[in-house]
Every structure is written in structure tokens, then in C-alpha cells.
């Protein structure tokens, strides 16, 4: 908990505050830092491909040491990565990583932007990346961010000349940046009807690892580079820039990027790509006026704010308010709309901080539905000697004004309770990029004004109109919900607009391994009182469902009930989708609501179509009981249960040979040897189980980072970064007679149709002769890879290592993946002569 308190205390940039639900309460040191930033008119845009690609040392350095407006443009939301903290993948993981980035920026002082590009998974070449992304559209988005943010400097994380050497997304991000640098200044290039903007220079944030070693980097000619010591110490908060950077980096929890802070000198280098090289090798803003003099009408503002900065009283910040009000009035009269809007928001927050002004609008419930009336509790308190009056409040978006005219005496809270009406056509709270189905490489966003934004901003706000002795300022606050948790204390969460009802199926994939009917429970939850309606279930052609419709009635908002339909599959193999729908009066509801709730990001709800894939699969199994040792956030056990296995999740501390011997097979989850420290000492028991006749299946581990055990297998096995990213890559059978390919289910090439995102990842590239490679994949004319599935006899049992992405294919309902994994579990239990080809 201490770590989170620290992270909130180092936020200097107010642009990040739209993400926090709790009001900011800055101390004097933080207020002074914000005044310094108010007095600096320069901007830096950092650009890379994914969440966690950004260099938090540089972002924090420019935001907190240089006091520049600093932002990170992540081309994607990281949807194609893996999740180390939970089961969410794809779109839901993208929501998590989006919010982790916002927490990182809240920590290091930056802002955050995105494009519409979808992280479709690992890509080996930028040509593939830019084709799938739709280069023209992503480039348009990058130009929009540049023209909106108006950076003086752009810094790329990756090298544009690295095609084929690294992740295609990485190289593509740098290539897009260089093109956008030119196009943003070209008045003939159209991007969302925004005027052109000329960035002064663009750099590549190079590092010794791009050269292979520190020694080689020492020998590099650095005349085209600028260097910065980002290890600077900030006495006002008692942290080094590197420590802030580590706190920011540690917000990427779903990627396992917790970072330990460091102290001392920490050099960063940027290499000029376009623009004029600064002559002194230090000042990245050379040639750019970063004072108020760059703005027409800025000189008097500069004079006032320099006085505020020079005379700031750390014991009485409110003594600066009158000067700040004078500067505020001048800023409001500026003709330059960019700096006017930006600096108005900043100075408003400085005034709030100097006066200890606390403003809050809290809803009585965490959610509301369209057309509903809810009660809001308002609180406003002035904790300074500055005279002020709460003239009125305005409720948005209904634009309802309420006159109050209440004096705000020092430390005397002003409280009120008002009613807010939710429009019958109010937008539901949901990530804007998920509202419509996109393509493999691009999200579909109907509202062009939203493109680039990190999240959907709440439309429901309360504007507090406060008079400061003749100067009236409108302070806008999102409506929030808060409650007291017995352990956590005061907890804030977003106030959400939800549909009148939601409907859900527990499993997103349902496998029918026989032609017998299954009972499918459907849950319905309502968010209004006294709701009566009907529930029906659409099934694929040839399938049957009974009953056709179910009547229901729920009495209280929040009530949930489950109803059961009986679904009968076709006799032959087939697949499709079942879709429940709730009908209430003349409205229907067909969305499910997934709650994402982790301590390090705000609680939120995601609305997605309510549907489940159903697969009729002719499947034969040998063996029934499976022991599963979970790794990092996979749901494979749930889907093994779908096809009739008895699955027991084994606590790592309980692993013993005796315990394992009760199972027909033991499966280790993805990245178990990266994330389960107990395996270092439990490996002996696992291998002993194999030796005595057990089957062990080890799913992929990454070679990047720490393996808790160097030797994963009973024989030599070396992991690599080899992967097959094309889900349609050609498959060849290296050992057609092998038991896994034939029993109890015949595996054919057709079983590799319909795979999603990839074939697999982190395949071994070296193994002992005792292993038999089963499959070979080839893509893009590259050499075939044979390490996706390796099988070895060890004692009386079998050890299997696979990089195949079962953790993606089973939740996607890929029939062939179920057949192949079933055969792996069944090995050694089939009645035939085993002939292993080595």
C-alpha cells in the first residue's frame, strides 16, 4: 500500500488527473513543481508500439526535471500480449494495459495517447505489420496526435532501420513516426481536419543494447547524439528520477515488469534523425522559445508567473492566489487556442492546490441506467484565507444550473444534495474502441474526436462556479462513486451508465464431445426495480433448444437470476454461436458485462456481445483425471473440464510424487517455470512421477527473464525466441505414425484450420536425441521450425514440451487444438505398439 501512496505523491502534471477518481491533494513542493511546469512552454512526444515499450526514465526526466509537457504515444493497446495477473486476453487485456499505462503516466507525470491499431500479436516484419494495421489509417492517427499535442520534439523508442531484426510492430512504430513528422507539417495532408504542425526535430532513443554491448557502444561516434543524466535527484520529494521511473514501470503488472528503483547517474542518449542538431549537445529544445514569450500576449503572463515562482511561500501557498488569478484572466484572453486551453487547465489546478480547494460530486450508487434520476452529494471546501463564493453548480450533460451563492469560509465545508437525470439516450459506459467490431489489425471508432484518446471520458460532471473576488472560474469534476472498505478504507470508482439488463453465458466456448444435449445456464441481471421480461436463446442451424422462451421477473435493481436452456447439437461435427437475448417491453438487451477489478487500476465494466461458441466435436479420450499446475493467467483447466476431464488445480507447495501419481496426466500452465518459484525444488517430484509412468505436459515458457529452473526436462532442452506468428502457417507432420498423431483421435491437416493469432511461441531450438519432434511449421519462406511439440519417453512415462498456443486456441473453440491436446493427455494409454522415431 505504501508504494501506491508514494506514486500518487509524485504526480506533477495535471493533465493526468482526468484518470484518477480521487481528488488530488498536493503538498507545497508539488504545487511549486506545477508552477514551474506552468511557466514552461515546450513539449516532448515519446513514441513506440506497445504499453511497456516506453522509456519511463526519459518521460519522467522531461516531465519532472525539464518541466516540459511530455506524452507517450503507444501505437497499440497491447491486446496481443500475455497476462501475468489474470485470465483476461485480447480485448480485455487491452483494457487492462491501457489503464496500466495511464497509471504509469500518473506516476511519472506524462500524458497518454493511442492510435486505432490493434495489437494482433507478434509480427516478424514491418511489411506484415503495416499491411494488417492499414498503414494509411494508422499514419493518419499518428499525425492527428502530433497536430493535437504539438510537440517540439519527438523521440522514438525503436530504430526505423531494423526490419526483420525485431518485432515488426517496433520497427513500424519508428517508420510511422518519421513519415508523420513530415506529413504533420504538410498542409496538403488531411488528418481529421486539423491544421499542420511543424515539429523541430525527431530522435531515436538509442542504447547500448542496440549495439550488442556497453563496450561497443563506448566506441560509437556520438556527435549526432544528445545525452542526458536521468539519474537526477529531486530533494522536494526525496526520490531520484530513476526511482520514479521504476515506480512507473512497475505499473505494468500484467506484463510482470515490476522494477526496483536505482540511485546515481543514469545516462540516456538520443540520436538525431530529422531536423537540426542542437549545437551544444545538451539542449534538446535549442531554437525553441520555451517561455511565455513564444505566445502572442504572453509577456505579461510571464512577468506575473516568474514573480509567483520567485516569491512562492511554501508555508502559505495561498499567498500566490491573487497573482495567479491575474495570470488566469490574461491566459483566458489569449488568441492562441492551443496554449490557451492547455495553460488554462494547468493554472486552474494550481489555483485549486494553492487554496486547498476540495470539490467533489458523489453518486448514491455506482451506476445508473438510461432515464433514471439519481442523487448526488456535493462537497466544496476552501482551506485558505482567500475569499471565495460558490455561486452555482451546473450538472452536465443536462446543462441544469443550480444557484447556491454560498460563502466559502476558511475550512468550513459547503455541502448539498442535488438530483441528476440520466438522459434516455445516454451513452453507456464502455471503452469507445470496443463499441463496434473491428478488424484483425484495426479498431473501429465512429467518433473521430475520440481517436487518440486513452479512454472514454465521462459525460456526467458537475461544474462548480466559484467567484474569487470578481474572477469566476468553472471547475469541472466527474461524478464518482465512493465507499468505505473495512480493509482499504476510502475507495473511489467511476460512476457508470449501464444498460437496463445484461445477459451472460458462463463459458465463452462450450464443447459437445458427444451428441447428447447439455443444459446451458444463462444469467440475467437487471439494474432497475420491478422488471418483467422474456429470455430466449438463438442456436446455430441444425441445433435445437428448449424451451423456446422463458418468462422472468426480478424485483430489485441489481438482482440476478439464472435460467436453464437445453441445447442439442448436430450428430456430425459442426460449430456456431449461441446468443441469448432479453426482451423487456419494446427494448432488447444482448450484451454481457465483464468487470475488471484489480487494485492497481480503477474498477471498470466492459460491455461485449453476449454469445458463446458451441462446437460439436467427435472426441475420444483415454484417461480421466488431470492435475493442473497453474502458470500465468491461463484458463486451460476450464476448457478441459468442458470436454469431460476431472481437473484438479494443484497448489505448487503440495507437489509430491505420491500426490501426482493419482492423475492420468499432469499439465503445467503457461510460463509456470517463469512464475512459480516452488518448481525449483518440486522439479524432482515431477520428473519422478514421469519416470514411474506418468504423463507430463509442459506448456510454453519464455526464454526472456528468469527461469526458476535451468533444466526443465529430463533431457537437454534449450528454449529460444522462435515462434510462428501466422495462425495459418503451413504445418507438416514429422512423425505421421506417432501415437499422438493417431490415437485416440486421428490428427489431419484440417485440424490446424481456424487457429487464432499464432501457432505458437518460444519453441525450443535444441533438444536431446531422446525427444521426438512431431510437427513442423513454416511461414514467409523462413526455415521450418520443428520445436513446437516434443515428446520423450522417460522411464515408464512421457514428458511433453509444447510451445503451441493452447491457451489461445481452447478459449477460441478450435476443434483441432482440443483433439491434439486430448491425444497428448492420452499417450501411453492406447492399445497399440508404440514406435517412436528419433
Amino acid at each position: 500500500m505504501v508504494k501506491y501512496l508514494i506514486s500518487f505523491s509524485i504526480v506533477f502534471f495535471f493533465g493526468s488527473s482526468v484518470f484518477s477518481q480521487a481528488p488530488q491533494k498536493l503538498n507545497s513542493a508539488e504545487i511549486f513543481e506545477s508552477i514551474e511546469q506552468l511557466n514552461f512552454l515546450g513539449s516532448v512526444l515519446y513514441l513506440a508500439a506497445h504499453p511497456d515499450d516506453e522509456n519511463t526514465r526519459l518521460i519522467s526526466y522531461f516531465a519532472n526535471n525539464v518541466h516540459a509537457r511530455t506524452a507517450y504515444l503507444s501505437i497499440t493497446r497491447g491486446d496481443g500480449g500475455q497476462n501475468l495477473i489474470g485470465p483476461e486476453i485480447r480485448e480485455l487485456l487491452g483494457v487492462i494495459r491501457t489503464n496500466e499505462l495511464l497509471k504509469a503516466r500518473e506516476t511519472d507525470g506524462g500524458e497518454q495517447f493511442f492510435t486505432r491499431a490493434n495489437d494482433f500479436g507478434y509480427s516478424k516484419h514491418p511489411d506484415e505489420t503495416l499491411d494488417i494495421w492499414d498503414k494509411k489509417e494508422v499514419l493518419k492517427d499518428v499525425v492527428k496526435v502530433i497536430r493535437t499535442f504539438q510537440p517540439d520534439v519527438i523521440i522514438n523508442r525503436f530504430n526505423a532501420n531494423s526490419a526483420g531484426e525485431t518485432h515488426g510492430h517496433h520497427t513500424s512504430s519508428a517508420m510511422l513516426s518519421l513519415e508523420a513528422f513530415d506529413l504533420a507539417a504538410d498542409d496538403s495532408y488531411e488528418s481529421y481536419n486539423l491544421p499542420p504542425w511543424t515539429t523541430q526535430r525527431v530522435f531515436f532513443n538509442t542504447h547500448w543494447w542496440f549495439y550488442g554491448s556497453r563496450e561497443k557502444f563506448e566506441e560509437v561516434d556520438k556527435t549526432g547524439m544528445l545525452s542526458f543524466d536521468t539519474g537526477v535527484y529531486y530533494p522536494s520529494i526525496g526520490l531520484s528520477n530513476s526511482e520514479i521511473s521504476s515506480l512507473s514501470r512497475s505499473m505494468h503488472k500484467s506484463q510482470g515488469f515490476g522494477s526496483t528503483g536505482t540511485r546515481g547517474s543514469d545516462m540516456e542518449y538520443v540520436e538525431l534523425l530529422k531536423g537540426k542538431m542542437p549545437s551544444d549537445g545538451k539542449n534538446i529544445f535549442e531554437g525553441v522559445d520555451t517561455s511565455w514569450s513564444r505566445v502572442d500576449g504572453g509577456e505579461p503572463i510571464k512577468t506575473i508567473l516568474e514573480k509567483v515562482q520567485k516569491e512562492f511561500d511554501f508555508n502559505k501557498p495561498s499567498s500566490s492566489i491573487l497573482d495567479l488569478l491575474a495570470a488566469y484572466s490574461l491566459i483566458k484572453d489569449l488568441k492562441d487556442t492551443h496554449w490557451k486551453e492547455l495553460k488554462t487547465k494547468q493554472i486552474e489546478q494550481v489555483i485549486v492546490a494553492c487554496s486547498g480547494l476540495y470539490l467533489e460530486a458523489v453518486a448514491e450508487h455506482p451506476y445508473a441506467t438510461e432515464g433514471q434520476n439519481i442523487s448526488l452529494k456535493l462537497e466544496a471546501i476552501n482551506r485558505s484565507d482567500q475569499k471565495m463564493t460558490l455561486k452555482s453548480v451546473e450538472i452536465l450533460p443536462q446543462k441544469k444550473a443550480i444557484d447556491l451563492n454560498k460563502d466559502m469560509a476558511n475550512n468550513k465545508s459547503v455541502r448539498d444534495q442535488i438530483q441528476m437525470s440520466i438522459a434516455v439516450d445516454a451513452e453507456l459506459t464502455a471503452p469507445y474502441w470496443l463499441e463496434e467490431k473491428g478488424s484483425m489489425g484495426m479498431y473501429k471508432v465512429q467518433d473521430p474526436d475520440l481517436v487518440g484518446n486513452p479512454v472514454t471520458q465521462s459525460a456526467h460532471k458537475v461544474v462548480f462556479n466559484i467567484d474569487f473576488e470578481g474572477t469566476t472560474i468553472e471547475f469541472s469534476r466527474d461524478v464518482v462513486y465512493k465507499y468505505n472498505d473495512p480493509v482499504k478504507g476510502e475507495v473511489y470508482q467511476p460512476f457508470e451508465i449501464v444498460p437496463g439488463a445484461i445477459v451472460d453465458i458462463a463459458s465463452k466456448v462450450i464443447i459437445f464431445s458427444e451428441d447428447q444435449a447439455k443444459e446451458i445456464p444463462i444469467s440475467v441481471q437487471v439494474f432497475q426495480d420491478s422488471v418483467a421480461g422474456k429470455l430466449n436463446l438463438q442456436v446455430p442451424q441444425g441445433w435445437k433448444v428448449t424451451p423456446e422462451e422463458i418468462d422472468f421477473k426480478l424485483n430489485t435493481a441489481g438482482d440476478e437470476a439464472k435460467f436453464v436452456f437445453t441445447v442439442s447439437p448436430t450428430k456430425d461435427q459442426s460449430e456456431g454461436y449461441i446468443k441469448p437475448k432479453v426482451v423487456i417491453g419494446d427494448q432488447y438487451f444482448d450484451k454481457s458485462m465483464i468487470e475488471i477489478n484489480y487494485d492497481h487500476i480503477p474498477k471498470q465494466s466492459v460491455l461485449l456481445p453476449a454469445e458463446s461458441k458451441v462446437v460439436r466435436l467427435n472426441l475420444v479420450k483415454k484417461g480421466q483425471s488431470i492435475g493442473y499446475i497453474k502458470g500465468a493467467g491461463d484458463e486451460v483447466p476450464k476448457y478441459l473440464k468442458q470436454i469431460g476431464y476431472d481437473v484438479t488445480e494443484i497448489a505448487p507447495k503440495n507437489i509430491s510424487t505420491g500426490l501426482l501419481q493419482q492423475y492420468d496426466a499432469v499439465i503445467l500452465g503457461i510460463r509456470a517455470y517463469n512464475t512459480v518459484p516452488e518448481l525449483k525444488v518440486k522439479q524432482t517430484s515431477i520428473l519422478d512421477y514421469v519416470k514411474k509412468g506418468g504423463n507430463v505436459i509442459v506448456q510454453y515458457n519464455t526464454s526472456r527473464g528468469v527461469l526458476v529452473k535451468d533444466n526443465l526436462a529430463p533431457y537437454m532442452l534449450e528454449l529460444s525466441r522462435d515462434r510462428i506468428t501466422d495462425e495459418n502457417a503451413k504445418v507438416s507432420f514429422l512423425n505421421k505414425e506417432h501415437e499422438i498423431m493417431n490415437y485416440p483421435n486421428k490428427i489431419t491437416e484440417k485440424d490446424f484450420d481456424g487457429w487464432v493469432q499464432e501457432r505458437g511461441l518460444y519453441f525450443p531450438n535444441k533438444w536431446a536425441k531422446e525427444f521426438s519432434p512431431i510437427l513442423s511449421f513454416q511461414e514467409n519462406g523462413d526455415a521450418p521450425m520443428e520445436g513446437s511439440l516434443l515428446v520423450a519417453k522417460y522411464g515408464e512415462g512421457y514428458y511433453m514440451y509444447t510451445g503451441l498456443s493452447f491457451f489461445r486456441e481452447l478459449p477460441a473453440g478450435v476443434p483441432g487444438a482440443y483433439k491434439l491436446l486430448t491425444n497428448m493427455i492420452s499417450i501411453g494409454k492406447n492399445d497399440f505398439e508404440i514406435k517412436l522415431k528419433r
Side-chain angles (χ1 to χ4, degrees), residues 72-296:
Y72 174 44
L73 170 55
S74 178
I75 301 295
T76 76
R77 297 177 183 270
D79 324 69
Q82 284 80 53
N83 184 0
L84 296 187
I85 61 172
E88 299 88 355
I89 58 176
R90 290 304 312 154
E91 294 92 345
L92 297 179
L93 177 58
V95 173
I96 291 173
R97 297 189 71 184
T98 292
N99 285 277
E100 287 179 335
L101 263 185
L102 286 168
K103 291 298 290 187
R105 297 295 78 76
E106 190 174 285
T107 302
D108 59 36
E111 294 180 72
Q112 186 60 53
F113 296 99
F114 295 93
T115 75
R116 289 170 293 158
N118 187 352
D119 177 4
F120 55 85
Y122 191 88
S123 176
K124 294 184 177 179
H125 200 279
D127 289 350
E128 176 195 42
T129 299
L130 294 172
D131 180 56
I132 294 175
W133 274 352
D134 190 343
K135 176 185 174 182
K136 179 181 177 182
E137 291 301 308
V138 180
L139 186 59
K140 181 181 173 183
D141 293 358
V142 177
V143 171
K144 179 188 180 183
V145 172
I146 293 173
R147 288 180 174 178
T148 302
F149 185 73
Q150 297 187 10
D152 299 304
V153 176
I154 295 174
I155 302 175
N156 295 336
R157 167 77 283 184
F158 299 109
N159 187 349
N161 299 315
S162 60
E165 299 174 7
T166 182
H167 197 323
H169 296 184
H170 293 169
T171 307
S172 296
S173 70
M175 294 168 62
L176 289 165
S177 173
L178 292 178
E179 287 195 52
F181 175 84
D182 294 325
L183 291 175
D186 184 351
D187 58 9
S188 67
Y189 181 81
E190 196 283 322
S191 176
Y192 299 92
N193 297 314
L194 291 168
W197 171 257
T198 300
T199 301
Q200 295 301 307
R201 46 187 70 100
V202 59
F203 294 91
F204 161 44
N205 181 197
T206 190
H207 197 272
W208 64 261
W209 62 63
F210 290 108
Y211 292 83
S213 69
R214 297 179 186 274
E215 292 73 23
K216 289 181 180 178
F217 186 60
E218 288 294 326
E219 298 173 359
V220 171
D221 180 5
K222 298 183 180 61
T223 55
M225 299 182 190
L226 301 183
S227 61
F228 311 97
D229 187 349
T230 61
V232 61
Y233 174 66
Y234 303 120
S236 59
I237 58 173
L239 293 171
S240 71
N241 188 77
S242 301
E243 288 172 311
I244 295 174
S245 167
S246 294
L247 290 171
S248 175
R249 186 72 171 164
S250 296
M251 291 301 170
H252 296 295
K253 299 184 187 303
S254 65
Q255 300 304 292
F257 283 152
S259 177
T260 299
T262 61
R263 289 144 294 281
S265 180
D266 192 357
M267 299 302 298
E268 287 288 339
Y269 296 85
V270 294
E271 180 180 349
L272 184 70
L273 301 178
K274 289 187 176 183
K276 184 179 179 181
M277 183 69 179
S279 59
D280 67 358
K282 293 290 182 183
N283 182 14
I284 202 169
F285 289 105
E286 184 178 279
V288 178
D289 188 347
T290 58
S291 75
W292 277 98
S293 299
R294 80 181 289 174
V295 181
D296 184 20

Side-chain angles (χ1 to χ4, degrees), residues 22 62 109 122 134 171 176 197 268 322 350 364 406 414 423 432 454 456 485 585 620 639-640 654 743:
F62 283 114
Y122 191 88
D134 190 343
T171 307
L176 289 165
W197 171 257
E268 287 288 339
L322 292 179
V350 174
E364 60 180 329
K406 294 186 177 182
V414 176
Y432 71 85
T456 309
D485 182 274
V620 180
Y639 295 101
L640 290 173
N654 295 333
Y743 298 92

